[in-house]
Amino acid sequence: MSNSSRLPQNGLGALFSVAGRPTEIKVSFWIWFIGGILALMGGLLGMLASLVLFAAAPAAAAAVVALMLLAAAVGAAQMVFAVKMKAGRKWARVALTVLAGITLVLAGVNTSSGMGQSAGNWTAFLVSLAATVLMWLPNAQAWFAAAPARNTSAE
């Protein structure tokens, strides 16, 4: 294979490259990254859609817009954490695990309050649980343990 047909080692090519990682890390990365994109888009679209509430209930609309912006920010953070986790950063794996825990709490609160889309929250939790379990399996653990020995300058 010629050098011109390879993805670049930096920039967008490196951002999406999962070569050399265990399958568990590859799958977990894509689950977290795509989930982050969906959360970011959902938060931004929800914020735009809630702008019509300002005519009827300005205080409620402001709260909804703030929550949608928070959802978008969490989605963006999730994408950053996923990229850092893929690069072998243990703190990013812990941060994603915490996000999965928050998803569980939110699903429980939503179910007990009877508000919102309970099924959607539980689905989001189960997907994040699967991605979290993958990051903590023995093969992934060994890969993270070897991370300091690898060259991670391509982050």
Side-chain angles (χ1 to χ4, degrees):
M1 177 188 282
S2 71
N3 286 339
S4 63
S5 64
R6 285 203 226 148
L7 286 174
Q9 294 301 313
N10 52 22
L12 286 179
L15 179 69
F16 297 114
S17 174
V18 291
R21 279 121 179 122
T23 302
E24 297 88 344
I25 298 298
K26 292 175 183 179
V27 173
S28 182
F29 165 74
W30 286 113
I31 291 171
W32 284 117
F33 194 82
I34 291 170
I37 290 172
L38 294 174
L40 176 65
M41 289 175 29
L44 292 176
L45 290 174
M47 185 222 28
L48 290 173
S50 66
L51 292 177
V52 298
L53 287 175
F54 276 104
V64 171
V65 167
L67 288 173
M68 292 296 107
L69 284 173
L70 178 62
V74 169
Q78 182 175 320
M79 292 165 53
V80 170
F81 295 156
V83 169
K84 294 299 185 180
M85 180 274 296
K86 178 184 65 87
R89 300 296 189 243
K90 295 174 187 173
W91 62 264
R93 178 174 60 160
V94 171
L96 289 168
T97 302
V98 169
L99 281 179
I102 292 169
T103 305
L104 170 62
V105 170
L106 291 175
V109 167
N110 231 354
T111 299
S112 65
S113 71
M115 298 175 62
Q117 297 180 5
S118 179
N121 289 333
W122 285 109
T123 301
F125 166 68
L126 292 174
V127 169
S128 66
L129 177 64
T132 301
V133 167
L134 287 169
M135 293 186 306
W136 292 95
L137 288 174
N139 199 27
Q141 290 268 38
W143 184 79
F144 276 103
R150 289 191 304 268
N151 178 8
T152 58
S153 62
E155 292 187 74

